[in-house]
Amino acid sequence: MSQSVVWRASVLHFLEDPAKQQGSEDAWEFFEDGALLVEDGLITRCGPSDQVFKNLPAGTEIKDLTGRFLIPGFIDTHVHYPQLEVLAGCGVQLLDWLNQYTFPAEQKFADEQYASEIAQFFLDQCLSHGTTTALVFGTVAPQSVDAFFQQAHQRNLRMIAGKVMMDRNAPDYLLDTPQSSYEDSKALINRWHNKGRLSYAVTPRFAPTSSSEQLHMAGRLLREHDGLYLHTHLSENPKEIDWVQELFPDSKHYVDVYDQHGLLGPRSVFAHSVHLCDHSWQRMGSSGSSIAFCPGSNLFLGSGLFNLNRAKAHGIPTGLGTDVGGGTNLCLLNTMKDAYQVSQLREETISPLQAFYLATLGGARALHLDDKIGSFRTGNEADFLVLNPAATPMLQFRTEKTKTLEELLGVLMVMGDDRVIEKTIIMGQEA
Ligand code: GUN
Ligand code: ZN
């Protein structure tokens, strides 16, 4: 029996990047008295409620959420699930932070039972923060990724993850080898890639922790399977960048290291990309690679201020990443606020509409999933959020005084947190 539910509330989603169409309202659709019709987990209508309610299929259930907002689920384009327990590790920048906090914590994920408990908690927290899709780092232990995918599959989530490949410059207890990383990744791909809503990402941690031989293995995996992602870190911190130049003296720059190993391209997602030279920007653009902009992490670890305008100028699909545990929380509203603050410091102020675009359709485009998620396009998967703009007394006080959509979105972005996320809907079902 087919299942049909109509949700009535204010509805907002994006059709295009509002930055591209400044001064025009064609980039988004907003229906103050709107509705979504969801049939068998897919969006079949989105519009003003009087239109959506015409000739509803027999037996359609009606959910009246007047006063609430429906938006597509948030997309976190870069996050480490094993790093929840190093959140808020203060006092150091990237390379010391990895040694002091991150590597010891990741060791624990060789225990699949432990990994499974943390994966459950992580996914519960993603959902309560409104994140419905994420591109996720596991650890070097393949069982960390089995545990993650198992939990994501049980919840019917659209998730992308992979095993870290790392064969040097880290503690012995976290090292694999080029051959074992190839074999372990291949076995995970065979078990999980394209199973339900899951996809696999080949995940060399970053250039300093992989030999050239291992990076070649990563390229080989990409060539041997269709539809895989490549997920890694790029040009986050000045000391890291100097180290990459020492380790790969024949490369022109950091991007060139990945390029020489066949790792650039559509479906390759590079977290950070804070410090890039002109040629690197060009090559990122010409290769069709994507960037995960991680403003919270870049501020917390003191890495730098990402140049979003430059990414746009080169046509590089860009989404937002929390980068927990370098970032300080799993909240995309908070990450939008951080992105806004970075744009202010750069004197390239983004609008709240642009921030909401980045967290939804922008993320979907960066992951090449915009034919499935990120907007209320007919046929898309019904992963969406019910937002309560009056979730706290302070929010109620402030949002009641807003006069425009943009002002309201600004308040939600700057003052909101997970309390604003009243419900998270996955394939039409309340999670
Ligand atoms: N570079 C290499 N590994 C990591 C990591 O775990 N977090 C961040 N932020 N950067 C990295
Ligand atoms: Zn990261």
Side-chain angles (χ1 to χ4, degrees):
M1 248 251 324
S2 73
Q3 202 201 16
S4 161
V5 180
V6 68
W7 302 72
R8 181 175 185 178
S10 297
V11 176
L12 171 70
H13 74 136
F14 292 87
L15 310 171
E16 196 30 272
D17 182 350
K20 276 196 192 155
Q21 307 192 341
Q22 267 174 9
S24 136
E25 296 195 355
D26 294 348
W28 65 91
E29 288 185 326
F30 176 60
F31 308 109
E32 188 155 9
D33 179 7
L36 284 183
L37 178 63
V38 177
E39 295 178 86
D40 295 329
L42 303 180
I43 306 287
T44 53
R45 292 183 205 171
C46 168
S49 68
D50 55 348
Q51 284 183 23
V52 172
F53 272 75
K54 267 186 207 149
N55 304 318
L56 284 175
T60 298
E61 183 188 343
I62 295 173
K63 303 223 188 222
D64 193 338
L65 297 165
T66 305
R68 304 294 193 258
F69 279 73
L70 307 182
I71 64 168
F74 292 139
I75 298 172
D76 188 342
T77 61
H78 178 69
V79 60
H80 302 247
Y81 98 83
Q83 294 182 9
L84 280 180
E85 56 202 85
V86 300
L87 271 168
C90 294
V92 281
Q93 293 206 348
L94 176 65
L95 299 178
D96 294 323
W97 177 81
L98 287 173
N99 286 316
Q100 195 171 316
Y101 294 108
T102 309
F103 290 152
E106 291 192 7
Q107 183 180 16
K108 298 186 198 169
F109 289 73
D111 174 350
E112 188 160 353
Q113 181 56 36
Y114 185 74
S116 181
E117 282 164 23
I118 303 297
Q120 287 180 54
F121 180 66
F122 172 82
L123 290 170
D124 289 345
Q125 290 300 307
C126 281
L127 292 171
S128 65
H129 285 76
T131 298
T132 51
T133 288
L135 174 56
V136 182
F137 259 66
T139 70
V140 75
Q143 50 275 35
S144 73
V145 179
D146 278 317
F148 177 81
F149 275 140
Q150 205 139 32
Q151 293 302 325
H153 192 57
Q154 262 180 29
R155 291 166 170 77
N156 197 22
L157 300 177
R158 184 162 284 290
M159 288 281 162
I160 312 166
K163 178 203 112 69
V164 171
M165 302 170 80
M166 169 155 74
D167 67 351
R168 63 171 175 170
N169 293 324
D172 285 348
Y173 58 74
L174 282 182
L175 295 184
D176 55 15
T177 67
Q179 189 61 28
S180 75
S181 68
Y182 172 81
E183 286 167 10
D184 288 345
S185 300
K186 205 164 179 75
L188 287 164
I189 291 163
N190 290 332
R191 278 201 287 286
W192 297 108
H193 184 52
N194 292 334
K195 180 166 179 165
R197 304 179 77 202
L198 307 177
S199 302
Y200 193 83
V202 175
T203 309
R205 178 170 217 118
F206 66 156
T209 48
S210 285
S211 63
S212 178
E213 192 185 351
Q214 184 168 59
L215 294 178
H216 278 300
M217 287 298 197
R220 187 171 152 196
L221 286 164
L222 294 179
R223 287 192 301 278
E224 287 174 353
H225 304 267
D226 286 336
L228 289 180
Y229 290 84
L230 183 282
H231 184 198
T232 191
H233 298 92
L234 168 68
S235 288
E236 178 176 1
N237 169 289
K239 284 195 181 140
E240 169 211 14
I241 295 164
D242 291 346
W243 194 22
V244 169
Q245 205 56 60
E246 279 168 38
L247 291 166
F248 295 91
D250 297 335
S251 65
K252 289 202 279 281
H253 43 65
Y254 201 156
V255 170
D256 193 43
V257 174
Y258 293 135
D259 203 3
Q260 284 180 6
H261 294 87
L263 302 182
L264 302 192
R267 303 173 91 86
S268 291
V269 182
F270 296 91
H272 306 290
S273 312
V274 175
H275 310 279
L276 297 182
C277 64
D278 290 349
H279 183 257
S280 301
W281 279 114
Q282 276 161 19
R283 190 58 197 123
M284 290 290 286
S286 65
S287 63
S289 301
S290 296
I291 290 177
F293 172 22
C294 305
S297 168
N298 295 341
L299 292 168
F300 183 71
L301 292 178
S303 302
L305 306 176
F306 175 68
N307 190 339
L308 181 60
N309 280 357
R310 197 78 202 265
K312 282 194 191 127
H314 290 275
I316 300 168
T318 303
L320 293 178
T322 62
D323 193 28
V324 159
T328 58
N329 55 69
L330 288 172
C331 180
L332 263 296
L333 286 171
N334 214 273
T335 306
M336 288 184 233
K337 170 170 136 179
D338 290 334
Y340 173 81
Q341 293 180 156
V342 167
S343 77
Q344 281 280 64
L345 285 168
R346 294 188 57 84
E347 299 186 33
E348 294 171 350
T349 309
I350 62 170
S351 70
L353 282 156
Q354 282 170 272
F356 274 80
Y357 163 82
L358 286 173
T360 56
L361 183 60
R365 286 178 167 178
L367 301 180
H368 294 267
L369 288 174
D370 46 310
D371 59 339
K372 297 185 175 66
I373 56 170
S375 75
F376 294 137
R377 202 184 61 98
T378 301
N380 270 11
E381 298 165 351
D383 288 357
F384 62 95
L385 311 178
V386 179
L387 305 186
N388 179 3
T392 68
M394 188 60 100
L395 276 165
Q396 180 168 17
F397 173 83
R398 181 65 186 91
T399 54
E400 272 176 5
K401 293 181 169 45
T402 59
K403 295 191 179 64
T404 63
L405 172 66
E406 179 132 19
E407 191 186 357
L408 175 73
L409 295 179
V411 172
L412 293 178
M413 165 179 91
V414 175
M415 298 174 62
D417 54 31
D418 53 321
R419 290 171 293 183
V420 168
I421 317 296
E422 191 167 88
K423 289 185 173 54
T424 300
I425 313 298
I426 298 297
M427 295 293 281
Q429 308 281 336
E430 238 175 89

